Amino acid sequence: MKRLLTVIMLLSLMMIGCQKHSPIVYSVNKSDELIQYESESIEESRFMESLEEQIKIEESESAAIEQAAIWTKKVPDKPPVKVKGVYISSKVAGAEKMKTIVEHIDATEINAVVIDILEDKGHIEYKMGGELIDSIGSVQETIPDIDALMSMLKEHNIYAIARIVTFRDPFLEQVKPEWLNHNNDGTVFHDASGMTWINPYNREAWEYKVQVAEQCADAGFDEIQFDYVRFCTEKGMNNVTYTDEETQGMDKTEIITEFIKFASDRLADKNVFMSADVFGTIIGSYVDTISVGQDYPVMASAVDYMCPMIYPSHYGNGNFGLDVPDRHPYEAILGACNASKKDLALEEVEGVHQAKVRPWLQGFTASYLSSYIHYGPEEIRQEIQAVYDAGYDEWLIWNANNEYQWDAFLPA
């Protein structure tokens, strides 16, 4: 027994001594079978780590859904409309050209328009007032007669959606710089285009955006759509800081969802529907979700419609198993819609509201890509068919110049 104890002590001392030196590295001639076995073991280990990470993500999302269940989504007391719509800029909406647009709509299956009201540069596009809005001074009357416009849309039974650009707002730099994102040195943050962004933790800015939305409801819009309801993700954002007092322990997805709930309650009281534009890439992607602050299934518990922007040109090569997604409009849209269905189904909770999905489709040719195809009537029709084949029945078409392929749409 003493001899055994002595041996154990000596071995222990040797092990301690070895820790002070670099580990011994042996050169081994491995067989092909051993190399293959080790490779498979590494892959299995990586898979298990990935699986564990996915489980953690799903548990986190489930907790968020359960938390959302405490807050009850108010649903407008009016029948919904199955929307087939197009985007219209405020410049077109306020001009004679709008009458031509309405004539095209009357002749086709299109029954809705999304009109810029608080646009990308922070301007409100028709005359509205109120103490807070007046103090900002962002009104410009690009649409000179909102009542006449709304009357025309109602007369032609066109569903009207007001687009509100939310957290990107360059106009506010001159009047409310304290509402904006700031760099570590205290200067206002600008993105690559020189645009400034609202600090999503700033609730005073929330009030401004929602008051604009409420006045759109009063003007007769059927639905309010919030765009850019997210954090900026451009270069330099790592220099932007948020204080503990601002965040109060809330991460990006939590504060964006909190804004959505805030706006949803106010607009439900106006009896209008509410929708949110979101990046298509957040669907099923934890990295993109935490980067922009948009949690797809959680946000779906707080709005009436989710509008993922699933333009094929916005997906990198290889997505959905496609070499260049832009060159495969049907397959890209079908893949994105199926991913949406899966993501929402995984987080569906009985008794908790879940929004309908109304995706944005590509109505333009992405000639800025190194490899692309022309998007004409056939390509747009393929996108629409993919939406239907995935089980969804509403869609919106985006073309920034409002130059639509009207023969892509079925007759009225």
Side-chain angles (χ1 to χ4, degrees):
M1 179 62 74
K2 289 182 178 178
R3 182 177 297 176
L4 179 60
L5 290 172
T6 302
V7 171
I8 290 172
M9 289 176 65
L10 288 171
L11 287 173
S12 298
L13 290 170
M14 291 174 64
M15 290 176 68
I16 292 171
C18 288
Q19 291 176 0
K20 296 179 180 179
H21 303 283
S22 300
I24 299 173
V25 179
Y26 295 93
S27 178
V28 179
N29 292 321
K30 300 179 181 179
S31 66
D32 292 340
E33 291 81 3
L34 179 58
I35 293 172
Q36 178 66 23
Y37 172 77
E38 289 180 346
S39 175
E40 291 176 355
S41 296
I42 291 170
E43 288 301 317
E44 183 178 356
S45 175
R46 288 174 178 168
F47 172 77
M48 291 304 295
E49 289 176 0
S50 175
L51 186 61
E52 288 174 2
E53 183 63 26
Q54 185 61 36
I55 290 171
K56 289 179 182 177
I57 293 169
E58 291 179 1
E59 287 176 347
S60 174
E61 289 181 344
S62 295
I65 289 286
E66 290 173 7
Q67 181 66 26
I70 298 171
W71 171 86
T72 303
K73 168 77 173 77
K74 298 178 184 178
V75 180
D77 183 23
K78 62 180 182 179
V81 173
K82 289 187 178 180
V83 163
K84 300 173 183 178
V86 294
Y87 161 75
I88 302 295
S89 69
S90 55
K91 184 177 181 180
V92 169
E96 282 295 310
K97 185 180 178 181
M98 189 62 189
K99 293 180 180 178
T100 304
I101 297 285
V102 169
E103 290 175 2
H104 283 301
I105 291 174
D106 284 343
T108 66
E109 63 185 318
I110 299 299
N111 66 351
V113 289
V114 180
I115 300 175
D116 269 339
I117 298 301
L118 206 171
E119 47 84 79
D120 298 69
K121 294 183 180 179
H123 295 115
I124 298 171
E125 299 291 64
Y126 72 87
K127 187 177 181 179
M128 64 172 68
E131 185 177 346
L132 179 57
I133 292 172
D134 288 344
S135 71
I136 301 298
S138 56
V139 172
Q140 62 176 20
E141 298 182 44
T142 307
I143 301 173
D145 192 338
I146 190 63
D147 293 334
L149 174 62
M150 298 310 298
S151 294
M152 179 172 64
L153 295 177
K154 298 299 180 186
E155 181 183 344
H156 290 264
N157 199 29
I158 298 172
Y159 186 87
I161 305 172
R163 176 176 178 255
I164 307 291
V165 174
T166 312
F167 292 125
R168 189 172 82 168
D169 196 321
F171 186 86
L172 291 176
E173 184 174 13
Q174 304 304 318
V175 289
K176 290 288 184 181
E178 66 273 19
W179 287 3
L180 304 177
N181 283 331
H182 287 78
N183 297 307
N184 295 329
D185 60 6
T187 58
V188 173
F189 166 79
H190 294 82
D191 65 19
S193 301
M195 300 285 192
T196 56
W197 289 68
I198 290 172
N199 173 356
Y201 293 101
N202 189 302
R203 295 173 186 256
E204 288 184 70
W206 293 10
E207 182 63 32
Y208 167 55
K209 298 291 178 171
V210 171
Q211 282 192 23
V212 173
E214 287 175 325
Q215 293 209 28
C216 290
D218 291 339
F221 281 93
D222 301 290
E223 179 179 322
I224 311 301
Q225 183 180 93
F226 289 98
D227 198 3
Y228 286 87
V229 55
R230 62 178 178 85
F231 281 77
C232 177
T233 58
E234 292 194 21
K235 183 179 180 181
M237 271 298 289
N238 58 332
N239 293 322
V240 172
T241 57
Y242 304 107
T243 66
D244 292 339
E245 184 180 0
E246 288 174 323
T247 64
Q248 296 181 349
M250 301 182 77
D251 62 24
K252 289 183 177 181
T253 58
E254 289 171 331
I255 198 63
I256 293 298
T257 302
E258 194 70 16
F259 167 78
I260 290 293
K261 291 178 182 178
F262 173 79
S264 182
D265 281 341
R266 295 272 289 269
L267 294 176
D269 289 342
K270 291 287 186 178
N271 204 36
V272 292
F273 292 110
M274 173 180 157
S275 55
D277 294 339
V278 297
F279 276 161
T281 55
I282 68 168
I283 300 172
S285 171
Y286 177 69
V287 173
D288 287 338
T289 288
I290 61 173
S291 177
V292 302
Q294 295 177 334
D295 190 314
Y296 194 64
V298 174
M299 287 180 70
S301 70
V303 298
D304 299 295
Y305 297 94
M306 289 291 282
C307 301
M309 298 174 285
I310 54 173
Y311 315 127
S313 61
H314 282 27
Y315 289 96
N317 296 347
N319 273 275
F320 312 118
L322 304 172
D323 52 352
V324 182
D326 185 72
R327 301 182 68 87
H328 304 276
Y330 175 84
E331 292 83 359
I333 297 299
L334 183 64
C337 287
N338 283 337
S340 166
K341 291 185 70 177
K342 179 181 178 182
D343 211 9
L344 292 177
L346 286 171
E347 300 299 335
E348 192 171 3
V349 176
E350 185 177 354
V352 176
H353 169 84
Q354 192 171 80
K356 295 178 181 178
V357 175
R358 185 200 294 146
W360 276 104
L361 306 180
Q362 181 171 325
F364 58 90
T365 297
S367 56
Y368 51 84
L369 297 177
S370 58
S371 180
Y372 66 93
I373 61 172
H374 174 72
Y375 270 61
E378 181 181 347
E379 289 72 23
I380 292 171
R381 203 69 229 170
Q382 287 180 28
E383 292 183 285
I384 293 170
Q385 189 59 51
V387 172
Y388 295 150
D389 289 349
Y392 293 141
D393 55 10
E394 300 186 44
W395 41 265
L396 297 167
I397 308 293
W398 177 270
N399 183 295
N401 297 320
N402 304 168
E403 295 172 355
Y404 292 105
Q405 308 278 344
W406 294 105
D407 51 348
F409 309 123
L410 300 179

